Amino acid sequence: MEVVKPFEVIDLEGKPEAAEVSGGKYLQVKQGAGGGSKVGGHAVFKVEIPEPGTYYFWARCWWDDSCGNSF
C-alpha cells in the first residue's frame, strides 16, 4: 500500500469495537487538510485477483461537512 499525505493510515489497535473492520485500519484526511485536487495526495492498493470473474469493490466514505464530497 502506498499512502501520500494528506492521507493518513489510522490504526484501530486497542479499540476492540472497531478492530474487525478494514483489517483494523482506515484512511483519513484530517479536517482542513484537504483543499480539493490542489493538495494532491493519494492511496494505492494492489490487489491480486486469483481467477477471472466478477468482483466488487466496497468502500465507505464519511465526512463532517459539505467539503468532503467525493471519493
Side-chain angles (χ1 to χ4, degrees), residues 17-55:
E17 68 279 3
E20 293 183 20
V21 293
S22 301
K25 297 179 175 148
Y26 67 91
L27 286 177
Q28 169 180 288
V29 175
K30 286 187 179 176
Q31 183 71 21
S37 61
K38 298 176 284 195
V39 175
H42 62 270
V44 177
F45 297 87
K46 293 184 181 182
V47 178
E48 286 189 37
I49 306 296
E51 58 187 62
T54 300
Y55 295 86

